Amino acid sequence: MTTQQVVAPEYLFFEAERERRFMTGSEAVREAIKRANVDMAISYPITPQSESMHLVGDIYAQGYLKEYFRGESEFAVMAAVAGAAMGGVRVFTATAGPGTLRAFEMFPTWAGARLPVVCAFLTRGINSPLTIQPDTIEMAFLLDTGILMFHAENAQDLYDMILKAFVVAEQTDVHIPVGVFADGFFVTHTREEVAVAPADLKLPPYNPYSAPVPVMDMENVPVRQMRDPFVMKSNFISYAAHASWQQEILAAQERARKHVRRYLGGLLDTEHPEAAVLVVAAGTAVSQGREAVAAARREGLDVGLVKLKSLRPFPREELRALARQARALIVPEFNRVGWLAREIKSVVEDTTKVIDAPRVFGGMTMPPDLILDQIRRCYA
Amino acid sequence: MSKGLFKISPGFEDVMPAEYKELVTNGPYGRDLGISDLGTFKELIEEHPLCAGCAEALALRLILASLPNPEDTVIVGSTGCSSLLFPQVAVQNIHSLFGNQNAVATGLKRALRLRFPDKVKDVAVIAGDGATVDIGLDMVMQSWFRRELITTIMLDNEVYANTGGQESGMSPQGAVLNMAPLGKKFPKVNLPEIAREAGCAYVATISPALPRRLGKVVRRAILVAREIGPSYVQIFCPCPTNFKWPSAQVLQKIRDRQKEGIFKVREYVSPEAEAYLARLEVVKQHDEEQ
């Protein structure tokens, strides 16, 4: 393996000269993990995620990680990842769709236990009927688990967001898990040009003693309280303790904002934010939105684009300000429930401005024309 | 862990809780104590909220007193009665969810091996029969298949006690319990046999009615899991509350069940584990003679 040099995150993210390579989203996951100084990765197959963890296995064989194995199910993997994180190492895993739901009990547990796990969710539809098609519905379920959520538009984002996720997750004032989401197949199985830092550079190692909770290594005094605050029955103090702990997880999400702004360059990106009509999207819907916005502007329509990068923390103030001056917010989504439109409606002052369409699901593609139709309707 | 970590900062002696002061001055860390020393040292458990006469509580107390290396042992528990007690144990312990204890322990053990390659860090799973044989059986067995170097201890109280007395895989056949209104339809799951077949290098069944033997079993299980392979200990400690026995009769009930042959003390040691344990005995004798 290449001997890797530890560099500051800022250098790796912003200064190191990047090489442009043609790769899939799954390969972008591999490239991120190669540079993330990950101690342990645990895998379990599910389409369309499997290839990414195959590739992480390959770089383990090359010596980039110290430990890698296949667990017995998604729930078991997320549990083993928790044990590893409690033992004080940097861990990574990935899943998708039905795997996410099978593992679900672990996600609020990760957040509640303040574990800085980074997990890639390479999204897929949920049964039944059986589907392996792209769909972002699993994100709707995860919004309130306490984990941070970044949504990649493309392989470049996936590479950058995974690397940066470790640094955000491990800040002492944050120290909660980060899910990095990318739309299955659309991102994982297509190839594009991705700019990556040299493979002989890596992030500084995780320092388990930077955690705001004790690492379970018997190298510090075991207070007579387990790692997770436990709720004894019929005990007023424990109700209060649990409630305040939940608030603390939310507060950690809030404190993550400054780090997300610093490393991701903001919770959202905008193009023509002053426009009267804004297309607001996350994930690959941003790409479709960009196409539609370009076509609409060629027709002389005053349209802008808002790309949401962070969903937790949610760019509440930023969206509210944008919505104030816009006439309409068009929210195209790759899922049936329209969770993003719901989220946006929950923060803007005038919810009638939010157009929760177009929406495709079950693996359908979204022709930019559908978005363009919505834009034209605003001007009809 | 360095025992020095436990020292109380000068000037704070009078404000520290009495049990902490006792732990510092008279705790078992680094002292190689066992069941026969009980009563002479500050135990790792202070007090607990379990029911009067709870055989599981007694079993846990005996397990904790038998840990060969408490200063470097981390316990992974699961949901159940034992998880009510764990917060009061003076070794680090994890409660994750119901049934995933062996998966959590897998990640933890591998992490500790990465971080402390030259140090012994024991990881012991202690969970009830519901977590071990029912909801968590997949993860328990898979950890054995993978030969994870962890000790699994099942507290077999023969019922889902903490949720109010439902049938478990370890309840006796015919027992009328919640969710088994016509009596349990199938016999106790033979987990010791499964453990052996699944790759455990050391398997034993024991009860708290045999404290010294329990101590020896736990010690051997943890030592085997250090170097040879996974180990499994099943501790028979039926629940007096849900089986509606007077608190004072639990140990007698265990003894009766042993006499009837329903509960049997058993031990399986793989040839590798046998050789390893014999080697340790020789070293210990040599050390004692020196």
Side-chain angles (χ1 to χ4, degrees):
Chain A
M1 110 181 220
T2 320
T3 309
Q4 288 183 293
Q5 185 196 341
V6 167
V7 292
E10 283 74 8
Y11 182 80
L12 190 65
F13 301 157
F14 307 123
E15 293 165 37
E17 198 169 321
R18 291 191 173 205
E19 182 194 344
R20 302 188 74 81
R21 288 165 52 186
F22 196 54
M23 66 175 76
T24 64
S26 302
E27 288 165 346
V29 173
R30 175 192 63 199
E31 294 308 313
I33 298 307
K34 221 183 230 186
R35 293 155 180 82
N37 204 351
V38 167
D39 295 296
M40 193 188 305
I42 311 177
S43 60
Y44 192 77
I46 187 162
T47 304
Q49 167 275 130
S50 308
E51 191 186 28
S52 63
M53 291 307 286
H54 298 174
L55 297 171
V56 171
D58 289 348
I59 59 170
Y60 160 70
Q62 293 162 18
Y64 285 93
L65 292 87
K66 300 188 190 101
E67 180 72 286
Y68 171 94
F69 71 101
R70 175 196 58 80
E72 60 268 42
S73 72
E74 287 89 352
F75 178 52
V77 164
M78 301 312 166
V81 161
M86 288 181 192
V89 299
R90 182 178 288 159
V91 285
F92 176 74
T93 188
T95 190
T100 301
L101 266 71
R102 178 156 296 191
F104 206 88
E105 196 181 1
M106 284 311 299
F107 303 126
T109 303
W110 285 356
R114 307 291 302 262
L115 304 177
V117 171
V118 173
C119 178
F121 295 87
L122 305 169
T123 63
R124 156 180 169 182
I126 303 286
N127 304 340
S128 191
L130 176 65
T131 177
I132 60 163
Q133 299 301 327
D135 194 309
T136 62
I137 195 166
E138 68 198 272
M139 298 180 70
F141 298 98
L142 284 154
L143 286 167
D144 299 312
T145 52
I147 71 169
L148 301 183
M149 297 170 69
F150 302 157
H151 201 170
E153 178 191 350
N154 48 34
Q156 182 70 62
D157 275 356
L158 190 54
Y159 164 84
D160 285 321
M161 284 177 172
I162 288 176
L163 258 178
K164 292 170 178 176
F166 287 104
V167 176
V168 174
E170 291 167 11
Q171 298 291 326
T172 301
D173 62 346
V174 178
H175 220 276
I176 52 176
V178 181
V180 179
F181 296 77
D183 302 357
F185 292 111
F186 296 148
V187 175
T188 54
H189 286 58
T190 56
R191 217 167 266 281
E192 64 178 274
E193 205 173 65
V194 180
V196 296
D200 60 354
L201 303 182
K202 63 178 174 182
L203 288 176
Y206 172 53
N207 172 13
Y209 299 114
S210 68
V213 285
V215 56
M216 295 287 101
D217 59 3
M218 280 304 274
E219 292 294 320
N220 51 86
V221 178
V223 289
R224 285 182 181 241
Q225 173 65 15
M226 67 180 75
R227 167 69 178 260
D228 310 322
F230 193 74
V231 180
M232 291 295 200
K233 291 172 181 173
S234 312
N235 178 337
F236 171 76
I237 299 285
S238 68
Y239 302 154
H242 192 78
S244 62
W245 189 267
Q246 288 198 45
Q247 288 172 323
E248 168 56 12
I249 301 304
L250 289 175
Q253 278 197 343
E254 289 300 309
R255 293 192 296 262
R257 282 180 196 278
K258 58 182 180 293
H259 304 295
V260 178
R261 286 195 185 105
R262 178 175 175 189
Y263 290 111
L264 264 57
L267 280 69
L268 51 75
D269 285 341
T270 55
E271 293 171 25
H272 312 295
E274 70 296 336
V277 174
L278 294 173
V279 174
V280 188
T284 54
V286 176
S287 302
Q288 316 304 101
R290 191 177 285 112
E291 291 294 314
V293 166
R297 292 185 73 85
R298 280 197 296 273
E299 291 177 17
L301 303 176
D302 183 24
V303 189
L305 179 72
V306 179
K307 166 179 171 170
L308 302 182
K309 295 184 287 189
S310 173
L311 299 161
R312 288 291 181 272
F314 196 60
R316 197 171 45 222
E317 297 306 326
E318 293 92 329
L319 273 170
R320 195 172 292 164
L322 286 164
R324 239 172 243 145
Q325 52 81 29
R327 204 166 80 204
L329 307 176
I330 296 167
V331 188
E333 294 190 56
F334 279 100
N335 66 79
R336 177 179 54 80
V337 298
W339 55 263
L340 183 56
R342 285 201 302 239
E343 288 291 303
I344 294 168
K345 280 181 188 167
S346 75
V347 298
V348 299
E349 283 147 358
D350 181 357
T351 56
T352 61
K353 288 182 177 179
V354 180
I355 300 166
D356 50 358
R359 227 182 270 165
V360 294
F361 40 91
M364 283 188 271
T365 53
M366 187 188 297
D369 279 355
L370 290 182
I371 306 171
L372 193 55
D373 285 347
Q374 294 296 336
I375 298 170
R376 286 188 188 126
R377 234 175 255 178
C378 295
Y379 284 96
Chain B
M1 182 185 71
S2 157
K3 203 169 169 252
L5 280 174
F6 269 82
K7 278 183 190 154
I8 295 169
S9 299
F12 286 88
E13 294 87 350
D14 57 335
V15 294
M16 292 302 285
E19 68 268 26
Y20 191 87
K21 283 192 274 186
E22 264 188 286
L23 199 63
V24 173
T25 54
N26 206 20
Y29 301 107
R31 290 175 58 198
D32 198 25
L33 300 172
I35 299 281
S36 50
D37 304 298
L38 273 170
T40 70
F41 65 98
K42 172 66 187 173
E43 290 180 50
L44 292 173
I45 175 140
E46 173 67 15
E47 53 194 12
H48 64 77
L50 303 187
C51 306
C54 176
E56 180 173 297
L58 174 58
L60 261 164
R61 189 179 159 205
L62 296 172
I63 293 167
L64 291 166
S66 317
L67 297 175
N69 189 28
E71 63 276 17
D72 280 302
T73 302
V74 183
I75 292 172
V76 182
S78 196
T79 302
C81 290
S82 59
S83 61
L84 299 176
L85 180 150
F86 269 35
Q88 276 133 286
V89 168
V91 296
Q92 287 180 339
N93 54 86
I94 294 169
H95 170 263
S96 184
L97 297 172
F98 194 22
N100 67 348
Q101 62 279 355
N102 283 57
V104 173
T106 296
L108 175 72
K109 177 70 186 189
R110 290 182 185 230
L112 296 179
R113 276 163 72 88
L114 287 184
R115 290 185 56 219
F116 305 100
D118 304 321
K119 211 167 174 181
V120 170
K121 292 279 179 186
D122 295 323
V123 172
V125 166
I126 306 177
D129 42 311
T132 307
V133 95
D134 292 323
I135 193 170
L137 183 61
D138 170 29
M139 285 169 274
V140 169
M141 280 182 66
Q142 295 278 351
S143 75
W144 296 339
F145 295 156
R146 287 196 306 266
R147 305 293 191 264
E148 303 291 346
L149 293 174
I150 55 185
T151 302
T152 304
I153 300 175
M154 185 222 276
L155 300 165
D156 174 19
N157 63 4
E158 299 199 304
V159 70
Y160 291 163
N162 194 42
T163 43
Q166 297 84 15
E167 165 202 287
S168 96
M170 298 303 288
S171 301
Q173 186 163 13
V176 175
L177 290 157
N178 290 325
M179 298 187 185
L182 299 176
K184 193 187 173 212
K185 302 286 188 195
F186 61 101
K188 276 179 82 110
V189 175
N190 190 349
L191 197 57
E193 205 57 34
I194 294 171
R196 192 177 61 79
E197 289 290 325
C200 283
Y202 180 87
V203 179
T205 55
I206 192 69
S207 86
L210 300 158
R212 277 173 197 272
R213 204 143 162 204
L214 185 149
K216 191 179 171 192
V217 158
V218 168
R219 203 177 172 83
R220 285 162 73 100
I222 285 178
L223 293 174
V224 167
R226 254 180 216 173
E227 292 205 14
I228 307 301
S231 56
Y232 172 63
V233 177
Q234 185 168 308
I235 301 184
F236 182 59
C237 45
C239 169
T241 304
N242 283 294
F243 289 106
K244 301 181 174 58
W245 300 332
S247 306
Q249 285 182 17
V250 181
L251 287 182
Q252 192 52 51
K253 292 276 184 192
I254 295 172
R255 287 189 197 106
D256 292 347
R257 296 281 293 274
Q258 195 178 348
K259 252 181 231 163
E260 292 160 19
I262 298 166
F263 158 65
K264 294 188 183 84
V265 175
R266 289 195 290 172
E267 193 180 43
Y268 161 77
V269 194
S270 76
E272 297 79 16
E274 187 95 60
Y276 169 71
L277 290 171
R279 207 160 62 237
L280 289 183
E281 279 303 310
V282 171
V283 172
K284 198 178 171 196
Q285 265 172 20
H286 175 79
D287 288 349
E288 278 165 9
E289 282 161 16
Q290 290 297 302

